[in-house]
Amino acid sequence: MILPCPEDVRQYSRFPLTITLVLLNIFIFVLIFNGNSSGITTSSLLQKDGLTLTGRLYYQYLQGVPSEDLLEKPAWVHEMKSANTEQMCVLGAYALRDARFLASAETLPYKGDEVRISEWRQEFSEFRKKYQQQLLYRFGLSSLEKGPLSWVTYQFSHSNWMHLISNLAFLVLIGVAVESLVGSASLLFIYVLGGLAGGLGFLLSDSHGTVPMVGASASVSALLAFYCIAETRARVRFLYFVSPMEGQYGAIYLPTLLIIPLFLVVDLANLWSTPEGLGSGVAYAAHIGGAACGALLALLYKWKGSFTFTLRT
Amino acid sequence: MVFPDLSAPEAQPRKSKNPALAIASMSDRFLAFILDFLIFSPIVSLFIASMVRQTKTFFLLNPTSQEGAIAAGLVAAMIVFFVTLLQAVFLYYWQATPGQFFLQLRVVSFPHPQERLSLNQCLLRAFFWCTGFLCLAVPFLEVASHPFRRAFHERASDTMVMTLKQQGDEGPHPLESRFISSWMRMSFLFLLLFGVLGFFKTYHMLKLGAFREKDGHMLACKEIKDPDLSGVARVDAALSLFLLNEVSAECLEKEAEASLWNDPVNSQDMAYLAKFVISEGEEQQKYFAKVCRDSTSSPCAIARYMQEQGTAEDLIQADASLWTTQLLLSDEKFTQRDYMKSLQMIEALQKVPSLKNALEKRYVRAMWALNESSLQPQGSGRAPASVSLEEKDSWVEKFKERYEVP
């Protein structure tokens, strides 16, 4: 494990906004999300049989989709065979991410086992209801739920403790460095604008998806990209940990640009290596959107010599 | 939080040209390896991303896909190629990989000192470094045991890793060296053992057909082997075989699903009948309602017969050309002790190739019952009046001929 840690985080009074953002994320998580389970994961629709049935119905839905819309679907969807139950199960998982299918699925006419289709309609209706009621859906950003507030609320929402801790660890380490470099107001500007750009990247990559995106990772990516381009000092401090043995942990001074392969290229590689339409649980496109925004702001910052101009405009 | 900075530049870096005096320490080399991994892996991942996506797609469509296995092999080959290339380029131009560079390590020519490494040395070193991982990284243990901390890939390319730091490593203690060497020999022995075991196990599985192309995920059940059966006939055969305990409920369900989802027009009622037979409780009633949407249909008559209150009258209304009807009728005749009629029906059904073997037990059972009934004293009321001695003898003769009974 290796993390950039250019500043001494113990001097927290120097970084009021970073600490405020961290506390805000923690408070929102504890007060709203922690222990709030929607029970959606236990839905029979998400079990193997349910997904296979959904896949079969989605297969029929695709037969009636206009060819131009069909071309938008990933190539692997076109290779699916309805007689293959394993493939129908995968297609079912994809179907539940297709906003256009979800919008009309309940009322579409289907051919097949009518008893199971009728049961499926009921389960699907309950699933949609629960899905829309879950907090992550209401606070998150997706093509179904993209109200003006969602663009901001998603940046402060997290799905679980691990998600929160990993994002906040990076926010603390890189937030203090950026705040020390450009000040509190500019940090907030980069954080929020990076989050908005991350949301845009996510929606562009998943324009008809239903899975909501939450987390501060797009904003953190923006801060990472901003810092490594704005601060091209020869070397900054990175903390590494291999094992608790002596010499296996400590600090190492490495170029700031090392952040690019360590964190930003990884996102690009992961995005490109994931089959279209099947997310891996991490919104890599949002990370890239945030990073691109952070890089642009850094170039602007370097060009103008300070960030005040950008803030005024 | 005060940590010693392992990459901190020395006040007076070592200038000596004799690498033997400045052996790089193991911890520095390990840390350099971690850094190299962190830097190279995203770059290599980026190069191979589209190939990885393609491979994932192959496995997504078919987890036992040959295309997927070949694509995975190509991905592995690409990883070796890019890692070799990246390492060789860095070694040739900077005499160090990025991790080694940050930790003030340099790769030099040894034991024949040169101003800089040749391209061949760089390529050989990088390639053999990659192959070390094929042996589960056991060859790298030599870094801990060799007096100059030179592993196989370094000796093969006449190179050595040295440090620019003031304090060089003194190499391993002879005892440590012996311990690691024997450990390495043991590791190779275990590798060999597992390799040989793996080889024979794979060969055994190959002979058993474990790697044969499978299409077990297709809807239709493979236990019904007749490829000519389709539509109503296929579901009918599956249902008959299920009633004969020759195929599982899962198999019948697959056939019913195949019929309902792929061919809903021809055999929908028979498929619902199959679903009715294998389901229970409330669901069974739902399927009964589906089967009996047309209460005059044959599947509905069969379903009524199969219900608890069903009578033979229901069965008579069903289409007699259906194998399921014939099978149930033969059973009904057997229950009524009309063994001759039951045998006739079984014999007629055995003309269907996919049912022939499955009906052997029923045939023998009916034959046995017929023979037993004739041994009963006359007037006991057990043998039906219709059974004549000649007819019975002709069945017995046929049976003996069929099973070569002396």
Side-chain angles (χ1 to χ4, degrees):
Chain A
M1 191 175 71
I2 186 160
L3 299 167
C5 183
E7 299 290 335
D8 188 351
V9 288
R10 287 175 305 176
Q11 298 172 329
Y12 51 85
S13 57
R14 281 177 55 210
F15 318 109
L17 189 76
T18 305
I19 302 303
T20 309
L21 285 174
V22 168
L23 290 177
L24 191 63
N25 275 296
I26 294 173
F27 277 134
I28 289 173
F29 180 77
V30 172
L31 293 175
I32 300 175
F33 295 102
N34 191 27
N36 201 318
S37 168
S38 64
I40 202 165
T41 47
T42 55
S43 166
S44 60
L45 217 58
L46 297 179
Q47 311 308 313
K48 195 180 175 196
D49 280 353
L51 286 174
T52 308
L53 180 57
T54 309
R56 283 181 184 146
L57 301 179
Y58 187 66
Y59 188 86
Q60 291 181 22
Y61 159 79
L62 289 177
Q63 312 305 312
V65 167
S67 54
E68 59 268 23
D69 290 346
L70 205 57
L71 284 173
E72 286 177 18
K73 307 284 174 207
W76 60 266
V77 170
H78 298 258
E79 291 176 39
M80 291 280 170
K81 293 184 180 71
S82 65
N84 189 319
T85 47
E86 290 287 318
Q87 290 187 356
M88 286 302 105
C89 186
V90 177
L91 193 64
Y94 175 75
L96 293 176
R97 293 159 185 263
D98 186 340
R100 286 186 287 195
F101 172 67
L102 292 199
S104 59
E106 273 177 78
T107 52
L108 286 173
Y110 300 109
K111 287 184 287 182
D113 186 342
E114 289 167 21
V115 172
R116 293 197 63 199
I117 291 171
S118 138
E119 287 169 358
W120 181 87
R121 282 187 207 275
Q122 283 178 7
E123 284 162 14
F124 184 79
S125 168
E126 282 169 30
F127 175 81
R128 277 206 72 181
K129 224 176 278 171
K130 277 186 190 170
Y131 194 80
Q132 285 169 346
Q133 280 168 358
Q134 61 173 346
L135 286 169
L136 284 178
Y137 179 82
R138 283 150 63 188
F139 282 80
L141 182 71
S142 72
S143 61
L144 283 179
E145 187 63 48
K146 48 188 177 193
L149 267 179
S150 301
W151 288 82
V152 179
T153 52
Y154 98 84
Q155 299 178 32
F156 298 93
S157 311
H158 290 87
S159 56
N160 54 50
W161 276 107
M162 277 310 292
H163 187 206
L164 179 79
I165 291 168
S166 58
N167 274 347
L168 294 194
F170 276 96
L171 179 59
V172 169
L173 294 174
I174 211 71
V176 294
V178 174
E179 192 168 357
S180 149
L181 187 70
V182 293
S184 300
S186 303
L187 170 71
L188 185 65
F189 180 69
I190 300 164
Y191 184 94
V192 174
L193 201 66
L196 296 179
L200 190 66
F202 174 75
L203 289 183
L204 284 177
S205 76
D206 193 18
S207 53
H208 301 294
T210 55
V211 180
M213 177 186 59
V214 288
S217 51
S219 307
V220 172
S221 290
L223 295 177
L224 275 166
F226 179 87
Y227 186 73
C228 81
I229 290 177
E231 181 69 318
T232 44
R233 275 186 300 178
R235 288 179 174 207
V236 293
R237 191 175 59 163
F238 280 66
L239 298 181
Y240 70 90
F241 180 84
V242 179
S243 79
M245 289 163 66
E246 197 176 341
Q248 305 282 303
Y249 63 91
I252 184 166
Y253 283 78
L254 298 169
T256 328
L257 287 175
L258 197 65
I259 288 173
I260 293 178
L262 281 184
F263 301 104
L264 307 179
V265 174
V266 170
D267 287 331
L268 200 59
N270 283 329
L271 179 73
W272 284 349
S273 64
T274 308
E276 266 180 280
L278 291 177
S280 59
V282 181
Y284 296 115
H287 294 189
I288 292 165
C293 174
L296 277 176
L297 289 174
L299 290 173
L300 195 67
Y301 168 79
K302 284 186 87 172
W303 181 47
K304 287 289 168 192
S306 85
F307 220 61
T308 46
F309 171 78
T310 318
L311 278 175
R312 258 186 255 124
T313 54
Chain B
M1 203 162 19
V2 182
F3 295 112
D5 175 16
L6 295 184
S7 68
E10 298 287 341
Q12 291 175 314
R14 180 177 286 281
K15 297 277 188 205
S16 168
K17 283 196 173 179
N18 185 356
L21 297 172
I23 302 169
S25 72
M26 272 180 64
S27 59
D28 277 8
R29 288 185 69 172
F30 183 66
L31 203 55
F33 164 73
I34 299 282
L35 274 178
D36 281 341
F37 174 78
L38 291 170
I39 295 166
F40 284 157
S41 62
I43 296 166
V44 173
S45 305
L46 195 66
F47 284 130
I48 62 169
S50 66
M51 193 73 195
V52 170
R53 177 160 67 171
Q54 187 63 53
T55 309
K56 283 182 182 173
T57 307
F58 284 136
F59 283 122
L60 188 74
L61 293 171
N62 178 9
T64 55
S65 144
Q66 278 187 358
E67 290 172 312
I70 291 167
L74 290 178
V75 166
M78 282 172 78
I79 291 172
V80 171
F81 171 77
F82 282 116
V83 170
T84 306
L85 186 73
L86 281 169
Q87 273 207 16
V89 166
F90 274 98
L91 288 173
Y92 186 69
Y93 286 105
W94 291 279
Q95 311 290 296
T97 59
Q100 288 169 338
F101 195 82
F102 295 135
L103 283 150
Q104 300 178 56
L105 307 178
R106 295 293 182 271
V107 180
V108 293
S109 187
F110 182 86
H112 311 293
Q114 289 169 202
E115 194 63 29
R116 58 184 300 163
L117 295 177
S118 70
L119 189 60
N120 278 354
Q121 277 179 307
C122 299
L123 285 170
L124 267 180
R125 184 189 153 87
F127 180 72
F128 284 122
W129 183 86
C130 289
T131 56
F133 287 97
L134 290 179
C135 302
L136 305 183
V138 174
F140 297 126
L141 282 176
E142 276 197 297
V143 174
S145 68
H146 193 274
F148 293 122
R149 302 216 177 276
R150 295 175 77 213
F152 169 73
H153 64 283
E154 289 165 326
R155 295 204 306 281
S157 59
D158 272 353
T159 56
M160 179 182 153
V161 182
M162 59 167 287
T163 181
L164 298 179
K165 291 179 182 175
Q166 282 279 332
Q167 197 71 39
D169 193 274
E170 291 174 355
H173 188 275
L175 266 176
E176 187 188 352
S177 184
R178 274 173 55 194
F179 173 72
I180 300 286
S181 298
S182 56
W183 188 12
M184 203 165 78
R185 278 196 295 277
M186 281 301 293
S187 304
F188 272 122
L189 266 175
F190 272 111
L191 263 182
L192 188 70
L193 181 71
F194 286 123
V196 170
L197 285 177
F199 175 83
F200 282 110
K201 189 169 167 55
T202 311
Y203 182 64
H204 180 64
M205 285 165 69
L206 190 70
K207 280 180 76 179
L208 288 178
F211 302 114
R212 212 167 285 151
E213 198 68 38
K214 292 186 187 107
D215 46 4
H217 302 306
M218 302 305 275
L219 264 179
C221 171
K222 296 295 155 196
E223 289 171 60
I224 296 162
K225 295 182 178 71
D226 191 346
D228 297 330
L229 286 174
S230 63
V232 176
R234 195 171 171 92
V235 186
D236 193 14
L239 192 51
S240 303
L241 287 169
F242 175 73
L243 293 174
L244 287 165
N245 286 326
E246 290 294 319
V247 297
S248 59
E250 191 189 349
C251 174
L252 183 59
E253 171 144 36
K254 273 189 173 182
E255 285 299 330
E257 293 272 294
S259 181
L260 282 169
W261 293 101
N262 294 346
D263 184 16
V265 179
N266 290 328
S267 50
Q268 198 175 31
D269 287 346
M270 280 304 283
Y272 279 133
L273 176 63
K275 286 266 189 178
F276 161 77
V277 170
I278 52 178
S279 57
E280 289 173 348
E282 196 186 332
E283 199 176 50
Q284 193 175 43
Q285 290 312 310
K286 284 182 186 170
Y287 280 114
F288 182 77
K290 283 286 165 200
V291 179
C292 289
R293 279 177 303 188
D294 175 6
S295 59
T296 59
S297 71
S298 292
C300 179
I302 297 172
R304 276 201 306 269
Y305 171 75
M306 284 178 156
Q307 278 201 320
E308 280 179 20
Q309 307 88 348
T311 62
E313 291 301 312
D314 293 315
L315 205 54
I316 290 162
Q317 290 170 19
D319 182 357
S321 65
L322 286 173
W323 299 324
T324 310
T325 314
Q326 289 176 39
L327 179 68
L328 292 171
L329 273 173
S330 84
D331 278 355
E332 186 65 31
K333 292 291 173 194
F334 184 87
T335 316
Q336 291 167 0
R337 297 193 194 102
D338 188 352
Y339 305 122
M340 198 81 77
K341 193 77 184 157
S342 177
L343 269 172
Q344 282 169 356
M345 287 179 155
I346 292 169
E347 202 175 45
L349 268 176
Q350 281 193 311
K351 286 177 184 149
V352 180
S354 54
L355 299 180
K356 189 174 184 305
N357 292 334
L359 282 160
E360 287 296 314
K361 278 185 203 164
R362 295 288 167 114
Y363 180 80
V364 173
R365 185 185 71 162
M367 195 62 227
W368 184 274
L370 180 69
N371 197 38
E372 285 286 302
S373 70
S374 66
L375 296 176
Q376 297 294 323
Q378 290 294 317
S380 65
R382 290 197 65 184
S386 61
V387 180
S388 71
L389 206 60
E390 292 78 33
E391 273 181 309
K392 188 226 128 186
D393 284 346
S394 95
W395 278 106
V396 171
E397 283 309 311
K398 211 187 283 180
F399 178 82
K400 284 182 175 175
E401 196 180 319
R402 188 164 162 176
Y403 290 100
E404 296 174 359
V405 180

